[in-house]
Amino acid sequence: MIEFTYTMNDPLGLHARPAGQLAKKAAEFKSTVTVVKGEKSADTRRIMALMGLGVKGGDTITLRVEGEDEQTASAAVKEFLETNKY
């Protein structure tokens, strides 16, 4: 399992558009990508669950990537988060 943190730079947080884009990116891989905020967590394949985490701009989230292609998946998800402007 690979785990890394990310601070949300979008002032609106993880709303519908970025949640959908993140889900699409994570779906490219066999590994499971989970977003954790505080005591809550959500599988990136469940857009409504992602939005239900209530991630706002400036919040720090933890991403857990687990599976056979976790190295590639974690690098791609990290790059996606750092380079996409919603």
Side-chain angles (χ1 to χ4, degrees):
M1 177 175 64
I2 297 174
E3 191 172 285
F4 64 93
T5 59
Y6 173 74
T7 301
M8 185 60 63
N9 60 14
D10 185 333
L12 298 176
L14 196 55
H15 56 89
R17 181 178 294 144
Q21 292 174 334
L22 178 58
K24 187 174 180 179
K25 176 54 73 177
E28 296 175 10
F29 304 96
K30 293 180 181 178
S31 294
T32 301
V33 180
T34 305
V35 176
V36 180
K37 179 188 174 209
E39 298 295 318
K40 297 180 184 179
S41 66
D43 186 327
T44 53
R45 290 174 272 189
R46 300 182 58 217
I47 296 170
M48 294 304 289
L50 279 175
M51 293 181 352
L53 292 175
V55 178
K56 304 292 181 207
D59 286 353
T60 299
I61 56 174
T62 300
L63 288 100
R64 293 185 184 139
V65 184
E66 190 169 10
E68 60 186 78
D69 59 354
E70 62 189 25
Q71 293 287 343
T72 306
S74 65
V77 168
K78 189 172 190 176
E79 179 181 355
F80 170 82
L81 289 169
E82 292 173 349
T83 59
N84 270 306
K85 304 299 177 218
Y86 316 110

